[in-house]
């Protein structure tokens, strides 16, 4: 009887333990791990099936599991820095535990692995972009003329622009995309701003922070870039409009420029049929947004 009680308690305790699985999302990373003898999987498809079966099993037992992106190169560096043998399952366990606190993770909530994998990759790209942008903003330092922190001043300016853009937008749900051209590649960030029946706008705080940072980077570095807004609401024609980055502000695009951007194939230059139920518009007037006192604006 006592033995049974102990087993029952262990099963209860097992449900209290949160776990993280480091996932090899693509064939290339999977092949890289096969060089370790202790990694016994030999087929990526079969490996993914087993991972999904494990996730379902843990969920059925009431256990919470997060999924992290397992990068073989980062794993090798982690083992080298920590003095661990990479060809040891316990080393992979320790690396996965590290990912749970520092890397991008997503909770498993019963969704198919085919849906979870791209979402996990997107989350990893999003985090890498955020880290890259914040590093660049920090490196800008202070203005030699006024001593203002350039990155912080640009972030304040970007925040004011975003608030004004949302305040002047049509009612409904809004989807914004900001792109900033740079080296080695263009940085793109999106923001969803949904409006409820009472007219209140709901933002994801992390999305808003990342979006504002990308816009701030474009402002601070005077890089080519732009911002596009799409508004949608039931029984109403959708609307698309935008601005180009100009100096420390935004310059409205004409309806024709917005149409050309959306209805031209980037690679071939051929025209693409415009979307049905969508108007290509001139953006609303944002007004004269004054710089905050002491702002870096020369």
């Amino acid at each position: 009887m006592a033995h049974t009680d102990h087993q029952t308690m262990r099963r209860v305790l097992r449900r209290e333990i949160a776990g993280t699985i480091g996932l090899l999302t693509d064939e290339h990373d999977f092949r890289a791990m096969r060089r370790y003898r202790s990694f016994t999987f030999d087929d990526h498809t079969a490996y993914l099936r087993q991972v999904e079966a494990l996730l379902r099993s843990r969920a059925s037992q009431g256990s919470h599991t997060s999924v992290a992106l397992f990068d073989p190169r980062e794993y090798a560096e982690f083992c080298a820095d920590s003095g661990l043998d990479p060809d040891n399952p316990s080393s992979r366990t320790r690396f996965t535990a590290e990912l749970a606190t520092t890397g991008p993770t997503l909770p498993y909530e019963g969704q198919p692995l085919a849906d979870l994998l791209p979402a996990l990759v997107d989350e990893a790209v999003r985090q890498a972009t955020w880290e890259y942008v914040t590093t660049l903003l920090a490196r800008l330092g202070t203005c030699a003329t006024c001593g203002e922190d350039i990155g912080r001043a640009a972030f304040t300016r970007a925040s004011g622009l975003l608030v004004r853009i949302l305040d002047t937008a049509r009612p409904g749900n809004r989807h914004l995309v900001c792109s900033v051209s740079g080296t080695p590649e263009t940085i793109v960030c999106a923001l969803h701003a949904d409006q409820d029946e009472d007219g209140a706008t709901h933002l994801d705080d992390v999305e808003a922070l990342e979006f504002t940072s990308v816009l701030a980077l474009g402002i601070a570095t005077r890089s080519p870039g732009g911002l596009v807004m799409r508004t949608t609401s039931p029984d109403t024609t959708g609307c698309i409009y935008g601005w180009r980055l100009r100096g420390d502000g935004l310059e409205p695009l004409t309806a024709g420029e917005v149409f050309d951007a959306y209805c031209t194939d980037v690679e071939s230059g051929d025209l693409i049929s415009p979307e049905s139920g969508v108007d290509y518009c001139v953006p609303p007037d944002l007004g004269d947004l004054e710089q905050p006192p002491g702002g870096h604006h020369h």
Side-chain angles (χ1 to χ4, degrees), residues 17-253:
I17 299 173
T20 301
I21 293 177
L23 188 59
L24 297 160
T25 59
D26 61 52
E27 185 74 37
H28 179 268
D29 288 345
F30 182 82
R31 286 199 302 269
M33 290 301 295
R34 289 198 60 201
R35 68 185 181 208
Y36 302 120
R37 295 180 60 185
S38 61
F39 186 80
T40 57
F41 293 96
D42 57 10
D43 180 83
H44 188 233
T45 301
Y47 160 81
L48 292 178
R49 282 200 301 265
Q50 292 298 321
V51 169
E52 187 162 24
L54 176 60
L55 289 170
R56 288 176 177 171
S57 174
R58 285 180 55 84
S60 68
Q61 297 168 6
S63 298
H64 174 81
T65 310
S66 295
V67 180
L69 197 65
F70 195 105
D71 186 314
R73 185 173 61 180
E74 292 181 1
Y75 171 64
E77 293 173 354
F78 172 81
C79 290
D81 293 341
S82 306
L84 299 174
D85 177 10
D87 197 1
N88 191 312
S90 65
S91 300
R92 292 194 288 275
T93 301
R94 289 184 60 176
F95 177 66
T96 301
E98 183 79 7
L99 291 177
T101 59
T102 62
T105 62
L106 288 178
Y108 175 72
E109 298 173 331
Q111 67 270 53
L113 205 58
D115 295 337
L116 184 60
L117 289 182
L120 183 60
V121 173
D122 287 347
E123 184 64 23
V125 172
R126 176 176 163 179
Q127 180 168 314
T129 300
W130 160 247
E131 292 174 352
Y132 177 65
V133 169
T134 53
T135 298
L136 290 181
L137 284 172
R139 286 178 178 173
L140 293 174
T142 58
C143 174
T145 301
C146 67
E148 182 79 12
D149 185 294
I150 297 173
R152 185 179 297 114
F155 187 89
T156 301
R157 176 65 172 167
S159 299
L161 288 170
L162 178 57
V163 169
R164 187 62 181 155
I165 287 169
L166 294 175
D167 285 347
T168 58
R170 287 186 179 184
N173 295 332
R174 300 84 176 262
H175 179 74
L176 297 91
V177 176
C178 181
S179 61
V180 175
S181 299
T183 303
E185 59 187 16
T186 298
I187 301 171
V188 180
C189 191
L191 174 64
H192 299 83
D194 295 337
Q195 202 172 48
D196 62 23
E197 296 178 355
D198 298 325
T201 299
H202 299 276
L203 299 172
D204 180 278
D205 291 341
V206 175
E207 264 194 11
L209 180 62
E210 293 170 349
F211 187 91
T212 306
S213 298
V214 172
L215 180 56
L217 180 65
I219 290 171
T221 58
R222 306 293 175 106
S223 299
L227 190 154
V228 175
M229 161 83 86
R230 176 192 292 265
T231 63
T232 58
S233 59
D235 305 320
T236 303
T237 301
C239 183
I240 300 175
Y241 52 82
W243 300 261
R244 66 171 55 86
L245 284 172
R246 183 73 73 191
D248 61 359
L250 299 171
E251 180 181 276
L253 297 173

